């Protein structure tokens, strides 16, 4: 996964207040705004105990719960620094528990996890309930959306919505197919997910350009979705659950191939830190453990990270802080434009939960 969406955050100086909280407004809760305010109050107290300044708390308070137009279960990630909002993002799922952290670095890994697997896709639903004949009265309506799963659940992508007389459906389906191909190519969609009336959607699928045919997945069920939510949301959840994006799978395959013959790869926290110090990492692979107690030492720059405080001080770094290991690693990845791949432990168990694919290897020293 590319982490370019975090670059604006890391360009700002810390310390940061990092807030994750449930901002769902479902009918189950009698007064959701009061519930959100109560959750925020607990987090604000925790941030105050950690030393957060009042201006940053005020900036966070202004952002919390501002997503009133997002329906369904979801959450917010709020980052503030020096009294200003540094980053605000919607979470497709409410966090497992509300958390807040104040420190030199922003705590961004929970946000990254919610961006994962980051699968680009195109979804289409063909509405039709009439007689299966091209001389029937009535019309066919097609809804389509391009997006990146799971973010489209809370930030809908570009939509297409057209209604065509059934008598024109054969020709119109071909025109729409070419339009869909253009949208799919723009985001390099991995899947074209099609649902709706079997007859009407079959005509569309058969008229899709050749480039899309190998990516078509037909699913059953209704396509209607609430405003502000992804088209075919529940079908996509079943389809993409537990899956890695194709780009991440290719990086993992390259990493495993290098591991197999002792090539440009390494496992373990120490070699990962060493490679990040030199800007040598192409992609870092992580078995995500939110409860991990691992800590690293960090200086002001992304490449200034170490297992021990004295190592950084020996390089002449004066401003040294101990932080969560995943926060330090994430900043280093963004700063060196390396990628992060979250790897399910049941798929590949990494030594100390960390592995790296290197951009280059250094030549062996001559004896």
């Amino acid at each position: 996964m590319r982490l370019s969406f975090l670059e604006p955050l890391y360009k700002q100086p810390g310390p940061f207040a990092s807030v994750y909280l449930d901002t769902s407004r479902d009918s189950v809760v009698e007064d959701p705004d009061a519930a959100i305010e109560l959750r925020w109050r607990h987090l604000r107290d925790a941030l105050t105990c950690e030393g957060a300044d009042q201006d940053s708390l005020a900036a966070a308070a202004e952002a919390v719960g501002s997503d009133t137009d997002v329906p369904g279960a979801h959450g917010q990630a709020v980052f503030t620094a020096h009294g200003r909002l540094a980053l605000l993002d919607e979470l497709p799922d409410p966090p497992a528990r509300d958390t807040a952290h104040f420190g030199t670095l922003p705590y961004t890994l929970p946000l990254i996890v919610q961006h994962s697997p980051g699968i680009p896709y195109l979804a289409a639903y063909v509405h039709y309930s009439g007689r299966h004949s091209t001389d029937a009265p009535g019309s066919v309506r097609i809804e389509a959306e391009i997006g990146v799963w799971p973010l489209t659940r809370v930030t809908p992508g570009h939509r297409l919505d057209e209604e065509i007389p059934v008598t024109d459906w054969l020709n119109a389906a071909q025109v729409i197919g070419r339009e869909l191909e253009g949208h799919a190519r723009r985001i390099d969609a991995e899947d074209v997910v099609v649902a709706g009336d079997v007859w009407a959607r079959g005509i569309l699928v058969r008229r899709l350009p050749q480039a899309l045919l190998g990516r078509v997945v037909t699913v059953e069920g209704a396509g209607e979705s609430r405003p502000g939510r992804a088209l075919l949301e529940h079908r996509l959840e079943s389809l993409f659950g537990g899956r890695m994006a194709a780009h991440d799978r290719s990086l993992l395959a390259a990493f495993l191939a290098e591991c197999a013959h002792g090539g440009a790869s390494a496992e373990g926290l120490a070699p990962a830190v060493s490679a990040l110090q030199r800007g040598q990492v192409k992609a870092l692979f992580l078995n995500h453990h939110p409860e991990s107690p691992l800590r690293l030492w960090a200086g002001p720059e992304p490449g200034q990270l170490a297992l021990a405080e004295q190592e950084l001080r020996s390089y002449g770094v004066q401003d040294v802080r101990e932080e969560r290991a995943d926060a330090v690693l994430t900043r280093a990845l963004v700063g060196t434009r390396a990628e992060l791949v979250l790897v399910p432990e049941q798929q590949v168990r990494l030594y100390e939960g960390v592995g790296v694919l290197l951009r280059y290897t250094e030549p062996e020293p001559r004896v």
Side-chain angles (χ1 to χ4, degrees), residues 139-161:
S139 60
V140 175
R141 179 179 165 224
I142 178 167
E143 284 185 278
E145 179 179 53
I146 57 170
V148 178
W149 185 263
L151 287 185
T152 322
R153 291 172 56 192
V154 286
T155 54
H158 176 76
R159 284 279 186 114
L160 168 75
D161 194 336

Side-chain angles (χ1 to χ4, degrees), residues 8 28 41 43 71 73 104 114 168 207 222 236 245 254 268 295 298 366:
V28 180
R41 203 177 307 152
L43 296 181
T104 306
Q114 292 245 16
D168 295 338
R207 280 156 180 76
L236 296 175
R295 312 279 289 182
R366 294 184 179 181

Side-chain angles (χ1 to χ4, degrees), residues 216-241:
V216 171
V217 179
T218 56
V219 296
E220 305 304 323
E224 291 85 352
S225 61
R226 285 178 292 175
R229 303 293 295 194
L231 180 67
L232 298 178
E233 177 178 356
H234 298 301
R235 301 301 170 192
L236 296 175
E237 195 164 15
S238 299
L239 182 65
F240 295 144

Side-chain angles (χ1 to χ4, degrees), residues 98-153:
D98 298 335
T99 59
H101 172 71
F102 184 73
T104 306
L105 302 180
Y107 181 35
T108 56
L109 193 57
L111 175 58
I112 295 168
V113 170
Q114 292 245 16
H115 275 242
S116 180
I119 297 173
Y121 70 92
L122 185 150
Y125 187 81
V126 185
H127 301 259
Y128 182 64
S129 57
R131 182 162 52 89
H132 289 174
S133 171
T134 52
D135 62 359
S139 60
V140 175
R141 179 179 165 224
I142 178 167
E143 284 185 278
E145 179 179 53
I146 57 170
V148 178
W149 185 263
L151 287 185
T152 322
R153 291 172 56 192

Side-chain angles (χ1 to χ4, degrees), residues 180-202:
L180 294 179
E181 182 194 21
H183 291 310
R185 190 188 309 116
R186 181 154 55 89
I187 64 166
D188 195 20
E190 291 185 28
D191 287 326
V192 177
V193 185
V194 185
D197 178 78
V198 174
W199 175 78
R201 84 184 183 203

Side-chain angles (χ1 to χ4, degrees), residues 154-341:
V154 286
T155 54
H158 176 76
R159 284 279 186 114
L160 168 75
D161 194 336
E162 295 192 28
E163 193 162 345
I164 300 107
V166 177
T167 51
D168 295 338
W169 181 233
L170 287 175
N171 292 328
Q174 190 157 11
V175 174
I176 289 171
R178 288 197 295 269
E179 186 177 351
L180 294 179
E181 182 194 21
H183 291 310
R185 190 188 309 116
R186 181 154 55 89
I187 64 166
D188 195 20
E190 291 185 28
D191 287 326
V192 177
V193 185
V194 185
D197 178 78
V198 174
W199 175 78
R201 84 184 183 203
I203 290 174
L204 174 65
V205 169
R206 287 193 294 275
R207 280 156 180 76
L208 288 174
Q210 191 67 34
L212 291 187
L213 287 179
R215 308 181 211 176
V216 171
V217 179
T218 56
V219 296
E220 305 304 323
E224 291 85 352
S225 61
R226 285 178 292 175
R229 303 293 295 194
L231 180 67
L232 298 178
E233 177 178 356
H234 298 301
R235 301 301 170 192
L236 296 175
E237 195 164 15
S238 299
L239 182 65
F240 295 144
R243 178 169 141 187
M244 294 174 67
H247 177 72
D248 286 353
R249 292 199 306 269
S250 68
L251 286 173
L252 181 59
F255 167 73
L256 294 175
E258 293 292 338
C259 287
H261 63 261
S265 63
E267 281 190 69
L269 189 59
V273 167
S274 178
L276 284 166
Q277 289 171 340
R278 299 191 297 272
Q280 199 177 358
V281 174
K282 178 178 181 179
L284 183 139
F285 304 87
L286 189 66
N287 294 145
H288 178 44
H289 295 293
E291 73 290 347
S292 173
L294 291 176
R295 312 279 289 182
L296 287 172
W297 291 88
E301 299 301 323
Q304 294 173 341
L305 67 163
L307 297 175
E309 176 184 6
Q310 191 52 43
E311 181 182 354
L312 284 180
R313 296 205 181 278
S314 70
Y315 300 147
V317 182
Q318 298 302 316
D319 186 9
V320 176
R321 302 288 180 90
E322 189 181 31
E323 295 280 350
R324 287 183 61 108
D326 48 20
V328 178
L329 292 174
T330 303
R331 183 190 65 162
L333 293 174
V334 174
T336 58
R337 298 198 171 178
E339 297 191 50
L340 175 64
V341 179

